[in-house]
Amino acid sequence: MKPLSLLFAVALCVAASQGFAQNQVLRIVSPGEDAVIQTDINSPIENYAAQELQRAIKLMTGTELQIRPSSETIAGAKIIIGIPSTNTRIATNTSLGLGLGGEERIAIEKEGFILFLAGNTPRAALYATYTYLQDYLGARWYWPDPTGEYMPQLDSIVHSTAFTFTHVPHLDVRSVAMTGQRSTSTAAGMDLTDLWMARNRLNWISDRSNTTTTVLADRRKKGFLLRRAGHNISAPNEVITTTMLQGADSVLAAMNANGIRLKNGTVSLPEHVCWSNPRVQELMGAMLADWWDEAPFPDVIHFYPADNARYCQCQPCKNMTVNPSDISTRWQIMADSLVKKAGRIAGNDKKYWTYAYWHYQGSAQYTAAMDFIPYALDLANYRTLLSDTLSTKHGQTHNHINSWLASGRDIGIRGYEFIIFKTPMFAPTVSWMADQIKWLTKKGMRGYLSEILYYGAPNSNEPEQKWWNCSRMSLYTAAKTMWDTAVNADSLVLDWCTKVYGPARFDLNGYYWDMDSAWMNGVKGPEVLKGFNKTPRRHIDSFLTANLFHKSYKRFADGLQRIDTSSALDAAAKTRIETQILLEREMLDNWLDTFQVAKGRGSRYRLSIMARTTTGGLITQLPSFETSFGNNSIYPTTVDAGWMEDSLHLQIHTAEQNLITEGTFTRNDGPTFNQGLEIYIQPDTTKPNFYRLRIRPEGSFVDAKTYSGLIYDSSWNMSCVVKTVRNSSNELVYKVQIPLAALGLAGVEGKEFRMAIRRKASNAAITGWPENNSNYAGLFSLVKFVGNPEVDNSVVGSGAQGLPPAASLQNVNANSKAPKQGLK
C-alpha cells in the first residue's frame, strides 16, 4: 500500500503544480456529496446571505446545505460567504481583488473545492450571493411575490472549471421610493417589496418615525441603508403643529402674496414654513438632530419642504437671494442652515440629502452641506429617450442637470415613471428606463430612485389595477440596469418572457415590443408626456390604435393556444403561465376601455341585458352591426335579447336574401360556412375558454368550444334550440335559445360574461357587434344580466317594440371583477 500511496501523492503534487487545484470539480449538490456553506453567523447580513443561498438551492435541487461558522475547519467542498476583515481565507485570496476598494465591490470565485462569495462589506457579500444565484444558477425574482420567483429545477450543481468574477455596481444609490404608511393591512405588501428590493440588489430604503426597531433590524439584515425621508420641513408636523402656528408663533407659517400667513395646513397636506425665520430654523434643526437620537438606525436624513409651490412671500424670505424668484438657491440656503443647526460635524457619519424638486430644480448659486441631491424628473418627457440631448421635448431637464453637475454636487435622478397616470395603467417603458439609467451613469450621476406604492397596493384593487403590476417589467429593468448598465433591454424582456411565459415567449415578447414601439414613436410621432398623475384618456390617440389592439389580442390568443397544446407542461405549469398572460391581457383591457370611452363607443362594449318573464318578450336591443370600418351593412342586422333563469334568448332579424329554411334547425357539421351567423360567449371573463354557435341559413348549426379561439372542438354540444319564424312583414327571423347550464353560467341578476355576434351575408362585408371580430374574446362585449325573470313584471313587449335601445344600454358596475372590454 505504501508504494501506491506514494505514487498517488506524487501524481497529486504534479497535477497541483500544473494548476490542477484550480480545475478540480466543485460539487455543490451532487449524488453522495454536498458542499457546506460557511459564514460569520454572528454577522446578521452574512448569516442572512447564507440562509438565502441555502433556501434557493433547496428550491432548485431539493437538497438543503448545512450552514456552519467560518471559524470551523471543514474538509471537502465548501461555499465561503464573507469579507476580508473577518475571514482569513478571503483576506489572503488576492485574486478576489477586494483590496481595490468600493463598499459594494463583490467577488465570486471557484478555487479548487471552494466557492467564494465575497465582498468588501457584509452587504457586498450578500450581493455576491444574489449575483451567483442569478447569473450562475438562473434564479429570478421578477416581482415581489412568490409567484414572481422563478427557480430552475436542477439535478445537481457542479462547477468543473475555475472562474473569477468581480464587479462594482454602476450606481451608488439604487432604490425605489416606496410610499405608504406601514399598518396591519399594508405590512405584508411592504415586506414583500423589501424582499424583492434586496434580492435585486437595491441598497437604499426609506423609513418613517413610526417604523419599529424590529422592522428596521429586518431591513438591516437584508443589507439596506436607511434614510429618514419625507416632506418634513413643513407645517404641521411633529415639531411645528397647528397649535404652534397660532398667536405668537403664527409668524412661523409661510406668507402668501396678500400678506396672510398660511395656517390651514394638515398632516396630509402640509404648508410651507417661513424659511428666513430664525425660530423655524432652530425648531427644524433641532428636529433633525433629535431624529438621530430617537432612531439611531438611519444612515441619512433626507429632508425637503411641503409638496406645493406656495413658498413664503415675506420680505425677509425674498431677501435671502438676489433674485426673489430663485427658489432653488433660497432652499439651499435654508437646507444648509438646518444641517448646521442639527450639529453636523466634519468627518462624522451623519449625512443629509435633499431634492432638486418642484420649483427649485435649477442649479442653486449657493452650496449647501448635502451629500446627495436627486433631481426630480417631472420636466422630462417619458416618451423620448433621455439620452436624446438634441430633443426639445425634455424641457429644461438637460440644462438643469448639466448645471448641477458643473457645480460639483453629487446628484442623481428622482423619477415619476411608475406613477405617470392618475390610475394604474400599463406603460411600456423598458427601453426608456434602460436608456435613462445608462445615460445618468455615463453623465457621472450617483444614483436613482423613483416613487411607487408598495407591492399589492391599493389593497382593494384587482391585480390588473395595482400600481406595481402595471410597471413590473420596468421596475425589474430599473433594478437590473442600476446594478449593471451593460444589461440590454431586449435581452431582459426576452429573458422575462422565456421564464414567465414558456412556449408563449415569442408571442409575449412580440406584444411587449409592439407596445414599446407605439409608446416611443406615437401615431403622429413622439408625444410630450411629462410629470405624473396624468389622465390616460388624454394620451390615448398618440399611443394606441384599433389595429394594435387587434394585433395584441391575437398575440395573447396565440400564446394561450401554445400553452394549452404544449406536451412539455404539466397542469400546474400551464395554470401558472396562463395566469400571467391573462394579467397582461387584463392590463391592456384597461387601455381598451379608455380607448372606447375616448371614441364615444363605450356602450357597444358594455351592455346590460334585461330579464324576460315567462309571458314577456325581449326588450333589450343590441347596438347596430358594423363592418371593420365602422359602417352599416347593406343588409342591416337587428338583435333583441333577454334572459331567464335557465337560458339566454336572442331574436335576430337579418333580412337574409337567400334564407330558404323555416322551422327548427338541425345540429350537424354541415357544409363549409360561407354565410350566416356566429354567436360567441365567454362565460368566465378571467379565463380564455369560450364557445361558438354557427348558424347556417339553409337550416343547420354547429356548436363548439375553444381554449383561445384558434382551434375549436365541435364534438361539444350545448343542446341549444335554433329556429326561424315569420314576422308581421313575412320576413324570416332567427330565434335562438341557449341553455345557461351548458355554458357554466348562472341565470341570476348581476351575472357578467362576454359575448359577440358576427354575420356573414352574401355579397356584403362581414358585420358584427360589438365589431366583426371572431377569435379574440378580449374584443367581445362585457354583458351583465339585470332585472329578475320571476318578479319583474315590467319586462314585457315584443322585440323592438319594447323599450328604446338606449334604455337597455346601461353601464355595468365600474368595480366589476371582469376586465372592461371593447374596440373599434
Side-chain angles (χ1 to χ4, degrees):
M1 294 298 292
K2 287 184 180 181
L4 181 62
S5 300
L6 178 61
L7 179 64
F8 179 79
V10 171
L12 182 60
C13 290
V14 172
S17 69
Q18 297 175 344
F20 176 73
Q22 287 292 330
N23 294 309
Q24 290 170 313
V25 176
L26 170 60
R27 303 181 187 279
I28 304 295
V29 174
S30 181
E33 183 178 1
D34 298 324
V36 173
I37 302 171
Q38 284 193 280
T39 192
D40 181 359
I41 61 174
N42 294 315
S43 167
I45 299 177
E46 293 170 61
N47 191 48
Y48 181 72
Q51 292 171 358
E52 283 285 85
L53 181 67
Q54 179 190 56
R55 172 188 177 274
I57 288 179
K58 183 176 182 180
L59 288 174
M60 294 176 185
T61 67
T63 298
E64 182 171 284
L65 302 183
Q66 292 185 48
I67 299 174
R68 305 300 303 164
S70 55
S71 57
E72 289 187 9
T73 300
I74 297 176
K78 58 180 78 62
I79 304 171
I80 296 177
I81 300 174
I83 61 177
S85 61
T86 59
N87 190 294
T88 304
R89 296 295 297 268
I90 293 174
T92 57
N93 187 346
T94 57
S95 63
L96 295 175
L98 295 178
L100 298 176
E103 283 190 9
E104 295 184 354
R105 178 181 290 275
I106 70 167
I108 301 172
E109 181 175 273
K110 183 263 182 190
E111 181 189 76
F113 294 127
I114 301 175
L115 176 66
F116 289 98
L117 302 178
N120 276 340
T121 60
R123 181 169 67 258
L126 174 64
Y127 295 155
T129 302
Y130 284 136
T131 300
Y132 171 71
L133 286 171
Q134 294 181 60
D135 295 353
Y136 289 83
L137 300 187
R140 295 291 185 272
W141 293 282
Y142 289 122
W143 58 88
D145 186 87
T147 62
E149 179 177 66
Y150 286 79
M151 293 289 182
Q153 297 304 294
L154 306 174
D155 294 328
S156 62
I157 300 174
V158 176
H159 298 298
S160 301
T161 58
F163 57 82
T164 301
F165 172 79
T166 62
H167 180 73
V168 177
H170 291 172
L171 287 180
D172 293 336
V173 177
R174 307 180 304 279
S175 183
V176 174
M178 183 173 58
T179 59
Q181 291 279 6
R182 177 174 286 271
S183 65
T184 302
S185 61
T186 65
M190 289 186 166
D191 290 342
L192 286 172
T193 309
D194 285 3
L195 192 56
W196 178 88
M197 290 174 64
R199 287 172 171 170
N200 284 288
R201 298 163 297 194
L202 302 185
N203 60 350
W204 281 91
I205 200 165
S206 61
D207 74 272
R208 297 175 182 268
S209 58
N210 62 346
T211 306
T212 66
T213 55
T214 301
V215 171
L216 293 174
D218 185 69
R219 287 178 164 178
R220 279 295 190 197
K221 79 176 184 182
K222 291 181 172 65
F224 287 117
L225 295 160
L226 305 176
R227 65 184 180 104
R228 171 73 67 83
H231 292 280
N232 33 43
I233 309 303
S234 57
N237 64 17
E238 59 228 69
V239 173
I240 298 184
T241 65
T242 303
T243 301
M244 294 179 69
L245 290 176
Q246 309 300 319
D249 279 335
S250 63
V251 293
L252 302 181
M255 177 186 288
N256 65 18
N258 297 320
I260 300 173
R261 297 285 177 178
L262 303 172
K263 295 183 287 186
N264 59 340
T266 65
V267 172
S268 59
L269 294 172
E271 291 287 0
H272 285 287
V273 290
C274 178
W275 294 350
S276 64
N277 189 293
R279 177 65 173 155
V280 169
Q281 297 175 11
E282 179 184 343
L283 287 168
M284 291 297 182
M287 175 184 72
L288 301 184
D290 287 344
W291 283 348
W292 293 113
D293 296 329
E294 293 173 2
F297 284 94
D299 298 276
V300 156
I301 287 178
H302 189 181
F303 62 90
Y304 34 103
D307 195 11
N308 64 63
R310 295 185 290 274
Y311 308 107
C312 186
Q313 298 297 309
C314 74
Q315 197 58 48
C317 278
K318 291 181 179 180
N319 292 341
M320 291 175 73
T321 56
V322 175
N323 180 359
S325 64
D326 183 2
I327 303 298
S328 188
T329 298
R330 191 193 300 185
W331 169 245
Q332 288 294 311
I333 293 172
M334 171 63 168
D336 195 44
S337 172
L338 298 184
V339 168
K340 290 175 181 177
K341 291 185 180 298
R344 180 188 174 111
I345 302 172
N348 71 10
D349 59 353
K350 293 181 172 62
K351 297 181 180 180
Y352 298 89
W353 297 358
T354 191
Y355 279 135
Y357 184 77
W358 199 257
H359 288 174
Y360 48 98
Q361 289 170 308
S363 179
Q365 304 303 308
Y366 181 86
T367 303
M370 294 288 113
D371 291 276
F372 183 51
I373 304 176
Y375 174 86
L377 205 62
D378 61 303
L379 294 179
N381 181 29
Y382 289 112
R383 293 179 64 179
T384 300
L385 294 179
L386 198 58
S387 63
D388 184 358
T389 55
L390 299 179
S391 174
T392 60
K393 300 182 184 300
H394 289 302
Q396 302 179 65
T397 297
H398 289 130
N399 290 337
H400 283 171
I401 288 175
N402 289 335
S403 181
W404 279 106
L405 288 170
S407 72
R409 315 291 180 82
D410 276 343
I411 73 166
I413 293 293
R414 199 280 195 205
Y416 301 92
E417 50 272 84
F418 308 127
I419 56 168
I420 295 173
F421 300 107
K422 64 173 59 177
T423 55
M425 300 294 285
F426 166 63
T429 55
V430 164
S431 61
W432 192 95
M433 175 62 70
D435 175 82
Q436 174 194 201
I437 301 298
K438 291 178 183 179
W439 179 78
L440 71 89
T441 305
K442 185 176 180 180
K443 293 286 288 184
M445 286 183 267
R446 184 181 158 198
Y448 164 91
L449 62 163
S450 189
E451 177 179 340
I452 192 170
L453 284 172
Y454 56 87
Y455 179 75
N459 295 340
S460 58
N461 284 22
E462 296 298 331
E464 70 274 10
Q465 295 173 335
K466 292 182 183 290
W467 290 104
W468 197 286
N469 287 344
C470 290
S471 297
R472 59 183 187 167
M473 194 179 287
S474 296
L475 281 156
Y476 180 73
T477 300
K480 296 292 281 188
T481 51
M482 279 189 276
W483 178 258
D484 183 0
T485 58
V487 172
N488 180 273
D490 295 86
S491 62
L492 272 179
V493 174
L494 183 58
D495 175 77
W496 176 297
C497 292
T498 299
K499 288 184 169 57
V500 176
Y501 307 120
R505 59 190 178 279
F506 296 121
D507 302 296
L508 273 294
N509 187 72
Y511 160 72
Y512 186 82
W513 289 115
D514 287 344
M515 296 294 286
D516 183 277
S517 177
W519 176 267
M520 295 304 300
N521 299 313
V523 178
K524 301 177 181 179
E527 186 207 17
V528 175
L529 178 56
K530 301 179 180 180
F532 50 94
N533 290 341
K534 300 299 181 180
T535 302
R537 181 175 172 181
R538 294 181 180 178
H539 301 277
I540 196 84
D541 282 340
S542 65
F543 176 26
L544 297 168
T545 64
N547 287 338
L548 182 55
F549 278 113
H550 278 275
K551 187 177 181 180
S552 299
Y553 283 112
K554 183 180 185 305
R555 289 195 187 277
F556 291 139
D558 290 348
L560 289 167
Q561 189 66 48
R562 271 181 248 284
I563 302 309
D564 185 46
T565 57
S566 173
S567 59
L569 300 172
D570 60 23
K574 288 183 178 182
T575 298
R576 185 181 191 186
I577 297 172
E578 176 189 305
T579 298
Q580 298 309 319
I581 294 177
L582 292 177
L583 176 57
E584 293 293 336
R585 192 191 71 183
E586 288 159 1
M587 289 190 289
L588 182 62
D589 291 344
N590 293 335
W591 275 115
L592 187 54
D593 181 66
T594 302
F595 185 86
Q596 297 302 347
V597 171
K599 301 297 183 182
R601 293 171 55 81
S603 61
R604 293 188 64 83
Y605 302 88
R606 306 183 80 189
L607 176 75
S608 293
I609 295 182
M610 299 292 291
R612 67 176 296 178
T613 63
T614 55
T615 58
L618 310 178
I619 66 170
T620 300
Q621 190 175 90
L622 274 58
S624 60
F625 280 34
E626 293 181 351
T627 67
S628 59
F629 299 100
N631 302 319
N632 293 325
S633 172
I634 58 174
Y635 298 137
T637 304
T638 59
V639 181
D640 300 306
W643 65 280
M644 300 183 68
E645 288 184 340
D646 61 350
S647 52
L648 172 66
H649 297 256
L650 301 172
Q651 183 172 288
I652 307 168
H653 181 200
T654 65
E656 197 77 57
Q657 297 301 301
N658 60 347
L659 185 63
I660 59 174
T661 299
E662 179 181 2
T664 300
F665 285 34
T666 59
R667 182 184 185 276
N668 61 67
D669 289 341
T672 302
F673 187 75
N674 293 319
Q675 56 185 310
L677 295 165
E678 293 175 306
I679 301 169
Y680 298 90
I681 297 176
Q682 183 186 34
D684 187 340
T685 58
T686 66
K687 295 181 179 180
N689 310 65
F690 61 92
Y691 304 93
R692 180 189 67 194
L693 173 63
R694 279 183 166 178
I695 304 173
R696 302 180 184 86
E698 66 272 12
S700 65
F701 69 88
V702 60
D703 43 12
K705 66 179 180 179
T706 180
Y707 182 76
S708 62
L710 300 180
I711 300 175
Y712 286 86
D713 176 11
S714 59
S715 65
W716 177 81
N717 184 358
M718 73 167 74
S719 300
C720 62
V721 176
V722 179
K723 62 182 180 179
T724 54
V725 297
R726 295 197 177 274
N727 63 12
S728 58
S729 301
N730 201 35
E731 297 172 324
L732 286 171
V733 178
Y734 293 91
K735 288 198 170 186
V736 182
Q737 180 174 325
I738 300 174
L740 296 177
L743 304 176
L745 278 172
V748 295
E749 184 172 15
K751 182 61 182 176
E752 294 179 335
F753 57 96
R754 291 178 186 154
M755 185 169 75
I757 305 177
R758 195 166 79 132
R759 179 189 177 192
K760 292 183 178 181
S762 58
N763 302 318
I766 298 174
T767 59
W769 161 83
E771 57 175 87
N772 68 350
N773 161 70
S774 60
N775 287 328
Y776 314 117
L779 304 175
F780 297 171
S781 179
L782 181 64
V783 174
K784 180 179 181 180
F785 285 155
V786 296
N788 190 304
E790 291 297 321
V791 300
D792 190 354
N793 295 319
S794 65
V795 184
V796 295
S798 56
Q801 284 69 48
L803 297 176
S808 64
L809 299 179
Q810 304 170 23
N811 287 330
V812 297
N813 185 350
N815 295 320
S816 164
K817 162 64 181 174
K820 310 175 187 72
Q821 299 300 323
L823 181 65
K824 176 176 182 295

